[in-house]
Amino acid sequence: MKISLEDTIAAIATPGGVGALAIIRVSGNRAIECVDNIFSGKTSLKKSPTHTIHYGKIFEDNQSLIDDVMVSVFHRPHSFTGENSVEITTHGNPLITQKILSKLVKNGTRLAEPGEFTKRAYLNGRMDLTQAEAVQDIITSRTEASLKGARNQLNGFLSKRVNSFREALIHMASLLELELDFVEEDISFTSPKEMDVKISGILDEIRTMCDSYAFGRVMKEGIHVALVGLPNTGKSSLLNYFLKENRAIVSDIPGTTRDTIQEELQYGGLLFHLSDTAGIRQAQDLIEEEGITRSNQAIRDADLVLFLFDAQSGFSEELYHHVQDLTDEIRMIRVMNKVDLKLECDSARDIDVSALTGDGMNELLEILKSRAISIHPYTEKSIVVTNIRHFHALEKSKTCLERARQSLEEQLSQEFIAMDLREAIQELDEIIGIVTTDDVLNNIFSKFCIGK
Amino acid sequence: MKISLEDTIAAIATPGGVGALAIIRVSGNRAIECVDNIFSGKTSLKKSPTHTIHYGKIFEDNQSLIDDVMVSVFHRPHSFTGENSVEITTHGNPLITQKILSKLVKNGTRLAEPGEFTKRAYLNGRMDLTQAEAVQDIITSRTEASLKGARNQLNGFLSKRVNSFREALIHMASLLELELDFVEEDISFTSPKEMDVKISGILDEIRTMCDSYAFGRVMKEGIHVALVGLPNTGKSSLLNYFLKENRAIVSDIPGTTRDTIQEELQYGGLLFHLSDTAGIRQAQDLIEEEGITRSNQAIRDADLVLFLFDAQSGFSEELYHHVQDLTDEIRMIRVMNKVDLKLECDSARDIDVSALTGDGMNELLEILKSRAISIHPYTEKSIVVTNIRHFHALEKSKTCLERARQSLEEQLSQEFIAMDLREAIQELDEIIGIVTTDDVLNNIFSKFCIGK
């Protein structure tokens, strides 16, 4: 869908529902004028300096008061969007915000599309595309780690890195293209050896970034943990203990669907999705086909598997082998529950806990955290790629650069090498949004909140 | 609970959940200083003029960025509370707002109690008590009518009226007290006749206000409608039709509990609570004691009863008489459903509808609205009392004034009359909060949102 930058747009920017305050955001050439038309205050908004706040009233067409409001005025380019902008702070009642929004629409604005404010910030050169994407990630981050990643991205850490690759590659490609112009004079501006070293250096960094995506994904989306155990080993006690102590902040992020059998908890800045695999009761009891298939799939998809047993019921070798067939050893954590019963048990395990008394439960969370990090290696200092669009573009530029090195090795014409470099550059351009298509933009911004 | 006005308070003022923006509100002597301590921007907030906005960053103790923020500065007395105030606009993520709030608490503020901002506005003389109460009503109003009532109250319509009574009564009481000083000289400043006329005038107005409360209550809380009918007369179709077309905005107002068998709809600026009285199946079938008792109670409590029948099943005289015994004729609306079947029927009724095609459904809503208004008479121009506290105080002042007239008639000593007038004045004082107790204040403000 093609939308015009000339329009003045408006949207409610605070979460829905009842609260003390709500904000309606307006942006565009005529933003200040449009709000001034519906605003009765001591001062004219049109004559107000930027970054000032004005008290006034907004009336219905029949002169009855809708609300007392505070209006903040921002002159272009000193606003989030880079356009003239106004924020109207009202009492936090949806009846009021809806009325004011309707009034704005009657007075020259239109309702903003999801993410349209941020899209304008991008189109007006206030931020690049990775930063625009980070804006939504900041809003929807549910863990410290994810928020930190999004913050770094908004601060331009990713863009700066990608830009440095781009500039180096553009320089190389230009030299190669220059040589092509002078091909008959046989002048050389760069040696294949030197070029190979430079490309290798960039390739190494891009590979590290691609590798970070596995961790970036779990950082952003959370770690899937499957809970496996015989009946009465205390799976639900374990779950309840965690949920009492570490339940994740529940939020209504548009577009997220919650599986009813999944529970979420937070620990160490990470989000864990726990799913109970009740389908697998005992290895002998493999009759409830549908439940078993689903449980098996949950184990296969899980980043980690908590294998629960207790000294009373004993360690079921059969169940353990069943799980082993579905996942890697490194993903399995063997947990003996009911340590409070003080029973003897010589089965190998990673940790003893009591979901009743809480003994060992924090240590178990530590194991979950360190195992989550160890299965997706990354170093604290490297940039973590959390966005699948960035990951795919980096992967593609990696392939182009590998091809360029291959061509260098095979001593192919500079033409081919320059072409490979240009392709790699284009992929990098797409990441930061130097080149892009309407489809890509629509895809990105349609996932945003309204009002952002 | 005694809270100090000296503290600087902070709270998240926007609804919970994820959105584009959120606001943290800070108020108190040290508000600007406290925010300045945690804020890194180009300008010092302490040196900023009132009503200005400043871009900057807030960091964690370990120097990692929490968020980019916009900070609005308000100097006393030019703020909602009348105190130095700051509003911090952040990205609308609860993780971020919680972090900033914690940081504020570590830097000299404390978490605000519910309604504490408005309480301070009242205690600092920015508004009287009826206006403070109106602030919360504005936020939680769910219908046009209720919002309008709250707006009028915030604008001081009620206060002005109450104040005019107070002043007239104070004047009268003062003259009477003056006469008492000169009792031996037998000087008279006012005639009993004149006084009686004045008191009667005020009494009439207060009576009208007391009478308006019945309507004020339904305006604020909605109209309870019980739906009665034999099985298969289309009660659920009727309910579903309404809910599709007129469903009330669902909001999570703290403290409101929703009965699962109640549905809400909005029409003509009014809120209707529809409850199905499935318990009464047929008059013959009065065996499910518990269900019947509950349904009977629902009919007794209902402002209106929709008596539903159709030409196919016929009009059940038995059920009708059962309902008649529980409510007044004026509250009953007889509705013939399934008019689309085009069957003959000569039973008396108020309206024919088809919940299938929608025929007559709007007319039915009109009947509901006009009947709701007619059972609680009020005139558009009179002040509508919506608050039970105001209602009780007005009732008490009414009693005092009636006693004063009685004393006048019985030619009792001016002392007694003055005393009655003083008592009436005290009740009026309590309405606008000239005199009040901690208990009254706590009771009022504890029902507020946090951040308001």
Side-chain angles (χ1 to χ4, degrees):
Chain A
M1 158 208 43
K2 195 72 191 167
I3 54 173
S4 169
L5 263 180
E6 297 304 310
D7 294 347
T8 294
I9 56 174
I12 298 165
T14 37
V18 169
L21 302 174
I23 300 175
I24 299 163
R25 198 173 202 181
V26 188
S27 182
N29 288 334
R30 299 183 59 247
I32 298 170
E33 201 181 321
C34 288
V35 178
D36 216 6
N37 285 342
I38 67 165
F39 174 82
S40 310
K42 274 190 199 163
T43 42
S44 153
L45 299 180
K46 273 178 284 188
K47 292 177 187 155
S48 303
T50 189
H51 289 67
T52 56
I53 308 162
H54 308 273
Y55 168 79
K57 291 170 189 290
I58 295 177
F59 292 93
E60 295 207 66
D61 297 337
N62 63 10
Q63 300 308 314
S64 78
L65 182 62
I66 302 177
D67 205 6
D68 308 87
V69 296
M70 299 296 287
V71 172
S72 303
V73 173
F74 303 91
H75 294 181
R76 71 169 157 243
H78 308 292
S79 71
F80 176 73
T81 55
E83 306 172 332
N84 283 336
S85 297
V86 178
E87 284 173 14
I88 307 173
T89 306
T90 71
H91 286 96
N93 182 333
L95 273 179
I96 291 173
T97 47
Q98 287 298 342
K99 265 174 194 284
I100 294 178
L101 201 57
S102 309
K103 183 108 201 212
L104 281 169
V105 167
K106 280 192 222 148
N107 279 272
T109 74
R110 69 163 166 79
L111 297 180
E113 303 288 327
E116 196 171 357
F117 293 89
T118 312
K119 187 175 185 176
R120 287 181 174 209
Y122 159 68
L123 293 173
N124 292 323
R126 299 286 290 171
M127 51 177 66
D128 69 34
L129 200 52
T130 67
Q131 291 174 309
E133 287 169 303
V135 168
Q136 177 70 355
D137 288 347
I138 282 176
I139 290 172
T140 54
S141 286
R142 298 183 57 196
T143 64
E144 298 276 338
S146 155
L147 184 58
K148 196 177 162 191
R151 287 246 56 106
N152 287 341
Q153 192 172 316
L154 183 62
N155 279 342
F157 287 13
L158 177 65
S159 320
K160 273 178 211 147
R161 214 76 217 95
V162 169
N163 255 320
S164 76
F165 303 156
R166 276 185 73 240
E167 280 161 22
L169 293 173
I170 287 170
H171 183 69
M172 263 188 275
S174 308
L175 290 182
L176 283 171
E177 281 151 6
L178 198 61
E179 279 182 22
L180 284 171
D181 287 345
F182 291 91
V183 70
E184 291 179 13
E185 286 88 347
D186 198 21
I187 298 175
S188 177
F189 297 98
T190 175
S191 79
K193 178 74 198 155
E194 201 183 325
M195 220 172 343
D196 189 57
V197 169
K198 278 188 187 160
I199 296 176
S200 295
I202 294 172
L203 250 178
D204 281 349
E205 287 204 61
I206 290 183
R207 275 197 200 107
T208 308
M209 285 166 77
C210 288
D211 290 345
S212 78
Y213 178 65
F215 180 75
R217 189 186 59 77
V218 304
M219 187 171 98
K220 187 168 168 180
E221 293 169 13
I223 297 123
H224 290 270
V225 182
L227 202 56
V228 180
L230 293 181
N232 301 320
T233 45
K235 277 186 298 185
S236 34
S237 313
L238 196 84
L239 213 51
N240 289 337
Y241 183 89
F242 282 146
L243 294 177
K244 214 175 75 202
E245 302 289 328
N246 307 83
R247 173 161 242 142
I249 294 173
V250 175
S251 64
D252 300 320
I253 302 170
T256 54
T257 53
R258 284 161 59 90
D259 194 323
T260 47
I261 58 152
Q262 267 195 16
E263 295 287 356
E264 298 183 345
L265 66 99
Q266 273 182 310
Y267 182 78
L270 294 173
L271 182 68
F272 295 88
H273 307 275
L274 265 70
S275 48
D276 190 359
T277 58
I280 308 175
R281 300 203 173 282
Q282 309 195 75
Q284 301 96 305
D285 184 21
L286 299 183
I287 8 173
E288 297 159 314
E289 280 300 336
E290 174 55 21
I292 294 154
T293 312
R294 223 172 328 131
S295 292
N296 286 349
Q297 196 54 48
I299 294 167
R300 278 194 206 96
D301 293 344
D303 296 295
L304 296 172
V305 178
L306 275 194
F307 185 86
L308 197 67
F309 71 99
D310 68 66
Q312 218 166 17
S313 325
F315 187 94
S316 162
E317 294 287 345
E318 201 170 355
L319 182 58
Y320 188 72
H321 292 313
H322 176 75
V323 177
Q324 263 184 325
D325 289 345
L326 299 167
T327 189
D328 314 327
E329 200 70 30
I330 176 88
R331 296 178 189 276
M332 288 179 72
I333 301 166
R334 290 156 304 177
V335 183
M336 190 179 89
N337 190 17
K338 305 188 188 174
V339 68
D340 52 293
L341 296 181
K342 297 186 198 299
L343 293 172
E344 287 291 318
C345 175
D346 53 6
S347 306
R349 67 259 190 182
D350 298 286
I351 174 89
D352 288 359
V353 304
S354 165
L356 193 69
T357 63
D359 277 347
M361 293 297 277
N362 271 327
E363 291 80 353
L364 174 54
L365 286 168
E366 268 301 320
I367 292 178
L368 275 171
K369 183 188 166 187
S370 61
R371 203 67 82 85
I373 292 172
S374 71
I375 55 167
H376 299 298
Y378 89 118
T379 60
E380 184 75 45
K381 280 185 191 116
S382 67
I383 288 169
V384 178
V385 175
T386 60
N387 186 309
I388 194 164
R389 190 180 75 80
H390 305 165
F391 172 68
H392 283 318
L394 287 169
E395 282 277 329
K396 282 193 218 155
S397 71
K398 188 177 81 178
T399 309
C400 300
L401 294 180
E402 281 165 350
R403 212 163 47 218
R405 284 194 68 199
Q406 184 71 23
S407 307
L408 271 174
E409 196 177 313
E410 292 169 9
Q411 298 181 318
L412 295 187
S413 152
Q414 277 115 321
E415 228 173 315
F416 293 105
I417 302 165
M419 214 150 53
D420 289 335
L421 296 185
R422 286 287 168 199
E423 265 185 60
I425 292 163
Q426 199 182 333
E427 294 298 335
L428 299 175
D429 282 354
E430 278 191 15
I431 293 177
I432 48 183
I434 291 175
V435 293
T436 187
T437 65
D438 277 356
D439 277 356
V440 169
L441 289 188
N442 287 340
N443 188 30
I444 290 171
F445 290 104
S446 64
K447 289 173 198 145
F448 269 56
C449 300
I450 291 275
K452 193 69 230 181
Chain B
M1 162 205 42
K2 195 74 191 166
I3 54 174
S4 169
L5 263 179
E6 297 304 310
D7 294 348
T8 294
I9 55 172
I12 298 165
T14 37
V18 169
L21 301 174
I23 299 175
I24 298 163
R25 199 173 202 181
V26 188
S27 183
N29 288 336
R30 298 185 59 249
I32 299 170
E33 201 182 322
C34 287
V35 178
D36 216 6
N37 285 343
I38 67 164
F39 173 82
S40 311
K42 275 190 198 162
T43 41
S44 152
L45 299 181
K46 273 177 283 187
K47 291 176 188 158
S48 303
T50 189
H51 289 67
T52 56
I53 308 163
H54 307 273
Y55 169 79
K57 292 170 190 290
I58 295 176
F59 293 92
E60 295 207 64
D61 297 337
N62 64 10
Q63 299 308 313
S64 78
L65 182 62
I66 303 177
D67 205 7
D68 308 87
V69 297
M70 299 297 286
V71 172
S72 302
V73 173
F74 303 91
H75 294 183
R76 71 169 157 243
H78 308 292
S79 71
F80 176 73
T81 54
E83 306 172 331
N84 283 336
S85 296
V86 178
E87 284 174 14
I88 307 173
T89 306
T90 69
H91 286 96
N93 182 334
L95 272 179
I96 292 172
T97 46
Q98 287 299 342
K99 264 173 195 285
I100 293 178
L101 201 57
S102 309
K103 183 110 201 209
L104 281 169
V105 168
K106 278 191 224 150
N107 280 271
T109 73
R110 69 163 167 79
L111 298 179
E113 303 289 325
E116 196 171 358
F117 294 90
T118 312
K119 187 175 185 177
R120 287 180 174 211
Y122 159 68
L123 292 174
N124 292 322
R126 300 285 291 169
M127 50 177 67
D128 68 35
L129 200 53
T130 68
Q131 291 173 310
E133 286 169 303
V135 168
Q136 177 71 354
D137 288 347
I138 282 175
I139 289 172
T140 54
S141 286
R142 298 185 56 195
T143 64
E144 298 276 337
S146 154
L147 183 59
K148 196 176 161 190
R151 286 246 57 105
N152 287 342
Q153 192 172 318
L154 183 61
N155 279 342
F157 288 12
L158 177 66
S159 321
K160 274 177 211 147
R161 214 76 217 94
V162 169
N163 254 321
S164 76
F165 304 155
R166 276 185 72 242
E167 280 161 21
L169 294 174
I170 287 170
H171 182 68
M172 264 187 277
S174 308
L175 291 182
L176 284 171
E177 283 151 7
L178 200 61
E179 280 181 22
L180 285 172
D181 288 345
F182 292 91
V183 70
E184 292 179 12
E185 288 86 346
D186 198 21
I187 297 174
S188 176
F189 298 99
T190 175
S191 78
K193 177 76 198 154
E194 202 182 327
M195 219 172 343
D196 189 57
V197 169
K198 279 188 187 159
I199 295 176
S200 295
I202 294 171
L203 251 177
D204 281 350
E205 287 204 64
I206 290 182
R207 275 197 199 107
T208 309
M209 285 166 76
C210 288
D211 289 346
S212 79
Y213 178 66
F215 180 75
R217 188 187 58 78
V218 303
M219 187 171 99
K220 187 168 169 181
E221 293 169 14
I223 297 123
H224 290 269
V225 182
L227 202 55
V228 180
L230 293 180
N232 300 321
T233 46
K235 278 185 298 184
S236 34
S237 313
L238 196 86
L239 213 50
N240 288 337
Y241 183 89
F242 281 146
L243 294 177
K244 215 176 75 201
E245 303 289 328
N246 305 82
R247 174 160 241 140
I249 293 173
V250 176
S251 64
D252 299 320
I253 302 170
T256 56
T257 52
R258 284 160 59 89
D259 195 322
T260 47
I261 59 152
Q262 267 196 15
E263 296 287 354
E264 296 184 346
L265 66 99
Q266 271 181 312
Y267 182 78
L270 294 174
L271 181 68
F272 295 88
H273 307 275
L274 265 70
S275 49
D276 191 359
T277 58
I280 307 175
R281 300 204 172 280
Q282 309 194 77
Q284 301 94 307
D285 184 20
L286 299 181
I287 9 173
E288 298 158 313
E289 281 300 337
E290 175 54 22
I292 294 156
T293 311
R294 222 172 328 133
S295 294
N296 287 349
Q297 196 54 47
I299 294 167
R300 278 193 207 99
D301 294 343
D303 296 295
L304 297 171
V305 178
L306 275 193
F307 185 85
L308 197 67
F309 70 99
D310 67 65
Q312 220 166 15
S313 324
F315 187 95
S316 162
E317 294 288 345
E318 200 169 356
L319 182 56
Y320 189 72
H321 293 311
H322 176 74
V323 177
Q324 263 183 324
D325 290 344
L326 298 167
T327 188
D328 314 327
E329 200 70 29
I330 177 88
R331 296 178 189 276
M332 287 181 73
I333 302 167
R334 290 155 304 176
V335 182
M336 191 180 88
N337 190 17
K338 305 188 187 173
V339 69
D340 52 294
L341 296 181
K342 297 186 198 302
L343 294 172
E344 287 292 316
C345 176
D346 54 7
S347 305
R349 67 257 192 184
D350 298 286
I351 175 89
D352 288 358
V353 304
S354 165
L356 193 69
T357 64
D359 276 348
M361 294 295 279
N362 271 327
E363 290 80 355
L364 174 54
L365 286 168
E366 268 302 320
I367 293 177
L368 274 172
K369 183 188 167 188
S370 61
R371 202 69 80 84
I373 293 172
S374 70
I375 54 168
H376 299 297
Y378 89 120
T379 60
E380 186 75 45
K381 282 187 191 112
S382 67
I383 288 169
V384 177
V385 174
T386 59
N387 185 309
I388 193 163
R389 189 180 75 81
H390 305 164
F391 172 68
H392 284 319
L394 286 169
E395 282 276 329
K396 282 193 218 155
S397 71
K398 191 177 78 178
T399 310
C400 300
L401 295 180
E402 280 164 352
R403 211 164 48 218
R405 283 195 67 199
Q406 184 73 24
S407 307
L408 272 173
E409 198 178 312
E410 291 169 8
Q411 298 180 317
L412 296 186
S413 151
Q414 276 116 319
E415 228 174 316
F416 293 105
I417 302 165
M419 213 150 58
D420 290 335
L421 295 186
R422 288 286 169 201
E423 264 185 61
I425 292 163
Q426 198 183 335
E427 293 299 335
L428 299 175
D429 282 353
E430 277 191 15
I431 294 178
I432 48 183
I434 290 174
V435 292
T436 188
T437 65
D438 276 356
D439 276 355
V440 168
L441 289 188
N442 286 341
N443 187 30
I444 290 171
F445 290 103
S446 64
K447 289 173 196 143
F448 270 55
C449 301
I450 290 276
K452 193 68 230 181

